[in-house]
Short mmCIF file of all heavy atoms in Angstrom, two decimals:
data_model
loop_
_atom_site.label_atom_id
_atom_site.label_comp_id
_atom_site.label_asym_id
_atom_site.label_seq_id
_atom_site.Cartn_x
_atom_site.Cartn_y
_atom_site.Cartn_z
N ALA A 90 -40.87 -27.41 177.72
CA ALA A 90 -41.64 -27.09 178.91
C ALA A 90 -42.27 -28.33 179.50
O ALA A 90 -42.62 -28.33 180.66
CB ALA A 90 -42.71 -26.07 178.57
N ASP A 91 -42.42 -29.40 178.67
CA ASP A 91 -43.08 -30.56 179.23
C ASP A 91 -42.18 -31.78 179.21
O ASP A 91 -41.33 -31.96 178.36
CB ASP A 91 -44.39 -30.83 178.49
CG ASP A 91 -44.16 -31.37 177.11
OD1 ASP A 91 -43.59 -30.64 176.30
OD2 ASP A 91 -44.52 -32.52 176.85
N TRP A 92 -42.39 -32.58 180.23
CA TRP A 92 -41.54 -33.74 180.47
C TRP A 92 -41.58 -34.72 179.31
O TRP A 92 -40.55 -35.30 178.94
CB TRP A 92 -41.99 -34.46 181.74
CG TRP A 92 -41.87 -33.64 182.97
CD1 TRP A 92 -41.24 -32.42 183.10
CD2 TRP A 92 -42.40 -33.94 184.26
NE1 TRP A 92 -41.35 -31.98 184.39
CE2 TRP A 92 -42.04 -32.88 185.13
CE3 TRP A 92 -43.13 -35.02 184.78
CZ2 TRP A 92 -42.39 -32.86 186.47
CZ3 TRP A 92 -43.49 -35.00 186.11
CH2 TRP A 92 -43.12 -33.93 186.95
N ALA A 93 -42.78 -34.92 178.75
CA ALA A 93 -42.92 -35.92 177.68
C ALA A 93 -41.99 -35.60 176.51
O ALA A 93 -41.28 -36.47 176.02
CB ALA A 93 -44.37 -36.00 177.23
N SER A 94 -41.99 -34.34 176.07
CA SER A 94 -41.12 -33.96 174.95
C SER A 94 -39.65 -34.03 175.33
O SER A 94 -38.81 -34.44 174.54
CB SER A 94 -41.39 -32.53 174.47
OG SER A 94 -42.75 -32.28 174.44
N GLU A 95 -39.37 -33.64 176.56
CA GLU A 95 -37.98 -33.66 177.03
C GLU A 95 -37.45 -35.08 176.99
O GLU A 95 -36.32 -35.32 176.55
CB GLU A 95 -37.94 -33.14 178.46
CG GLU A 95 -36.75 -32.24 178.74
CD GLU A 95 -36.79 -31.67 180.13
OE1 GLU A 95 -37.77 -30.95 180.42
OE2 GLU A 95 -35.88 -31.96 180.92
N VAL A 96 -38.26 -36.01 177.45
CA VAL A 96 -37.85 -37.41 177.48
C VAL A 96 -37.67 -37.94 176.05
O VAL A 96 -36.72 -38.65 175.76
CB VAL A 96 -38.86 -38.27 178.26
CG1 VAL A 96 -38.58 -39.75 178.06
CG2 VAL A 96 -38.81 -37.93 179.73
N GLU A 97 -38.60 -37.54 175.19
CA GLU A 97 -38.50 -37.98 173.80
C GLU A 97 -37.21 -37.50 173.16
O GLU A 97 -36.53 -38.23 172.45
CB GLU A 97 -39.69 -37.44 173.00
CG GLU A 97 -40.50 -38.53 172.35
CD GLU A 97 -41.98 -38.29 172.50
OE1 GLU A 97 -42.50 -37.41 171.80
OE2 GLU A 97 -42.62 -38.97 173.34
N GLU A 99 -34.47 -36.61 174.71
CA GLU A 99 -33.37 -37.30 175.38
C GLU A 99 -33.15 -38.66 174.74
O GLU A 99 -32.03 -39.06 174.46
CB GLU A 99 -33.78 -37.48 176.83
CG GLU A 99 -32.67 -37.70 177.81
CD GLU A 99 -33.25 -37.94 179.18
OE1 GLU A 99 -34.07 -37.11 179.62
OE2 GLU A 99 -32.92 -38.97 179.79
N GLU A 100 -34.25 -39.35 174.50
CA GLU A 100 -34.19 -40.68 173.91
C GLU A 100 -33.58 -40.60 172.51
O GLU A 100 -32.75 -41.42 172.14
CB GLU A 100 -35.60 -41.27 173.84
CG GLU A 100 -35.62 -42.77 173.70
CD GLU A 100 -37.03 -43.31 173.76
OE1 GLU A 100 -37.95 -42.65 173.25
OE2 GLU A 100 -37.21 -44.41 174.31
N MET A 103 -29.83 -39.99 172.70
CA MET A 103 -29.09 -41.22 173.02
C MET A 103 -29.00 -42.12 171.81
O MET A 103 -27.96 -42.71 171.54
CB MET A 103 -29.80 -41.96 174.15
CG MET A 103 -29.57 -41.35 175.48
SD MET A 103 -30.10 -42.51 176.74
CE MET A 103 -30.09 -41.43 178.14
N GLY A 104 -30.11 -42.23 171.09
CA GLY A 104 -30.15 -43.05 169.89
C GLY A 104 -29.15 -42.56 168.87
O GLY A 104 -28.40 -43.34 168.27
N GLN A 107 -25.61 -43.42 169.90
CA GLN A 107 -25.32 -44.84 169.62
C GLN A 107 -25.08 -45.04 168.14
O GLN A 107 -24.16 -45.77 167.75
CB GLN A 107 -26.51 -45.71 170.05
CG GLN A 107 -26.52 -46.02 171.53
CD GLN A 107 -27.70 -46.88 171.90
OE1 GLN A 107 -28.73 -46.90 171.22
NE2 GLN A 107 -27.57 -47.60 172.98
N ASN A 163 -42.32 -42.98 159.77
CA ASN A 163 -43.54 -43.15 160.54
C ASN A 163 -44.76 -43.05 159.64
O ASN A 163 -45.71 -42.33 159.93
CB ASN A 163 -43.58 -42.07 161.63
CG ASN A 163 -44.69 -42.33 162.63
OD1 ASN A 163 -45.14 -43.45 162.76
ND2 ASN A 163 -45.14 -41.29 163.30
N SER B 101 -44.38 -44.11 171.58
CA SER B 101 -44.31 -43.84 173.02
C SER B 101 -45.50 -43.02 173.45
O SER B 101 -45.37 -42.06 174.21
CB SER B 101 -43.00 -43.13 173.36
OG SER B 101 -42.89 -41.95 172.60
N ARG B 104 -46.29 -43.43 177.33
CA ARG B 104 -45.35 -42.67 178.15
C ARG B 104 -45.67 -41.17 178.08
O ARG B 104 -45.61 -40.47 179.08
CB ARG B 104 -43.92 -42.92 177.66
CG ARG B 104 -42.86 -42.32 178.57
CD ARG B 104 -41.47 -42.61 178.07
NE ARG B 104 -41.21 -41.96 176.81
CZ ARG B 104 -40.16 -42.24 176.04
NH1 ARG B 104 -39.29 -43.15 176.40
NH2 ARG B 104 -39.99 -41.60 174.91
N HIS B 105 -46.04 -40.74 176.87
CA HIS B 105 -46.40 -39.34 176.67
C HIS B 105 -47.55 -38.95 177.58
O HIS B 105 -47.49 -37.94 178.30
CB HIS B 105 -46.77 -39.16 175.19
CG HIS B 105 -47.23 -37.80 174.83
ND1 HIS B 105 -46.37 -36.81 174.39
CD2 HIS B 105 -48.46 -37.25 174.85
CE1 HIS B 105 -47.07 -35.72 174.14
NE2 HIS B 105 -48.33 -35.95 174.41
N LEU B 108 -46.50 -39.13 181.44
CA LEU B 108 -45.66 -38.03 181.88
C LEU B 108 -46.44 -36.72 181.95
O LEU B 108 -46.23 -35.91 182.84
CB LEU B 108 -44.44 -37.89 180.97
CG LEU B 108 -43.42 -39.03 181.11
CD1 LEU B 108 -42.30 -38.86 180.09
CD2 LEU B 108 -42.82 -39.07 182.51
N LEU B 111 -48.47 -36.90 185.10
CA LEU B 111 -47.58 -36.76 186.25
C LEU B 111 -47.17 -35.31 186.43
O LEU B 111 -47.12 -34.79 187.54
CB LEU B 111 -46.33 -37.60 186.07
CG LEU B 111 -46.41 -39.03 186.58
CD1 LEU B 111 -45.17 -39.81 186.18
CD2 LEU B 111 -46.56 -39.06 188.09
N GLN B 112 -46.88 -34.65 185.31
CA GLN B 112 -46.48 -33.26 185.38
C GLN B 112 -47.61 -32.39 185.92
O GLN B 112 -47.37 -31.47 186.70
CB GLN B 112 -46.02 -32.75 184.00
CG GLN B 112 -45.28 -31.44 184.08
CD GLN B 112 -44.61 -31.04 182.79
OE1 GLN B 112 -44.84 -31.64 181.76
NE2 GLN B 112 -43.77 -30.03 182.84
N PHE B 115 -47.81 -32.99 189.55
CA PHE B 115 -46.67 -32.36 190.20
C PHE B 115 -46.92 -30.87 190.39
O PHE B 115 -46.67 -30.31 191.45
CB PHE B 115 -45.40 -32.58 189.37
CG PHE B 115 -44.19 -31.84 189.87
CD1 PHE B 115 -43.52 -32.26 191.01
CD2 PHE B 115 -43.73 -30.71 189.20
CE1 PHE B 115 -42.40 -31.57 191.47
CE2 PHE B 115 -42.62 -30.01 189.67
CZ PHE B 115 -41.95 -30.44 190.81
N PHE B 136 -44.60 -41.44 192.04
CA PHE B 136 -43.66 -40.66 191.25
C PHE B 136 -42.24 -41.26 191.36
O PHE B 136 -41.55 -41.46 190.36
CB PHE B 136 -43.69 -39.21 191.75
CG PHE B 136 -42.98 -38.22 190.85
CD1 PHE B 136 -42.73 -38.51 189.52
CD2 PHE B 136 -42.57 -37.00 191.34
CE1 PHE B 136 -42.09 -37.59 188.70
CE2 PHE B 136 -41.94 -36.07 190.52
CZ PHE B 136 -41.69 -36.36 189.21
N VAL B 145 -34.55 -45.03 180.23
CA VAL B 145 -34.26 -45.00 178.81
C VAL B 145 -32.81 -45.42 178.64
O VAL B 145 -31.90 -44.75 179.13
CB VAL B 145 -34.47 -43.58 178.22
CG1 VAL B 145 -33.83 -43.46 176.85
CG2 VAL B 145 -35.94 -43.26 178.13
N ASN B 146 -32.60 -46.54 177.97
CA ASN B 146 -31.25 -47.09 177.85
C ASN B 146 -30.60 -47.28 179.21
O ASN B 146 -29.45 -46.92 179.41
CB ASN B 146 -30.36 -46.17 177.00
CG ASN B 146 -30.72 -46.25 175.54
OD1 ASN B 146 -31.69 -46.90 175.18
ND2 ASN B 146 -29.94 -45.62 174.70
N MET B 151 -33.86 -37.93 182.82
CA MET B 151 -33.27 -36.67 183.30
C MET B 151 -34.34 -35.66 183.67
O MET B 151 -34.22 -34.93 184.63
CB MET B 151 -32.39 -36.08 182.18
CG MET B 151 -31.12 -36.80 181.88
SD MET B 151 -29.99 -36.89 183.28
CE MET B 151 -29.87 -35.16 183.70
N ALA B 152 -35.41 -35.66 182.87
CA ALA B 152 -36.46 -34.65 183.07
C ALA B 152 -37.10 -34.75 184.44
O ALA B 152 -37.68 -33.79 184.94
CB ALA B 152 -37.52 -34.80 181.98
N LEU B 153 -37.03 -35.93 185.07
CA LEU B 153 -37.73 -36.13 186.34
C LEU B 153 -36.86 -35.88 187.56
O LEU B 153 -37.37 -35.80 188.68
CB LEU B 153 -38.28 -37.55 186.41
CG LEU B 153 -39.22 -38.00 185.29
CD1 LEU B 153 -39.78 -39.38 185.61
CD2 LEU B 153 -40.34 -37.00 185.11
N PRO B 156 -37.70 -32.52 189.55
CA PRO B 156 -39.02 -32.61 190.16
C PRO B 156 -39.09 -33.60 191.33
O PRO B 156 -39.74 -33.33 192.34
CB PRO B 156 -39.90 -33.06 189.01
CG PRO B 156 -39.24 -32.52 187.80
CD PRO B 156 -37.78 -32.60 188.09
#
Side-chain angles (χ1 to χ4, degrees):
Chain A
D91 72 296
W92 297 351
S94 318
E95 219 176 300
V96 169
E97 238 136 75
E99 201 183 307
E100 200 175 36
M103 283 194 193
Q107 279 180 336
N163 190 22
Chain B
S101 56
R104 188 179 65 192
H105 177 91
L108 290 175
L111 271 173
Q112 194 170 10
F115 174 74
F136 192 20
V145 165
N146 286 7
M151 290 299 306
L153 303 186

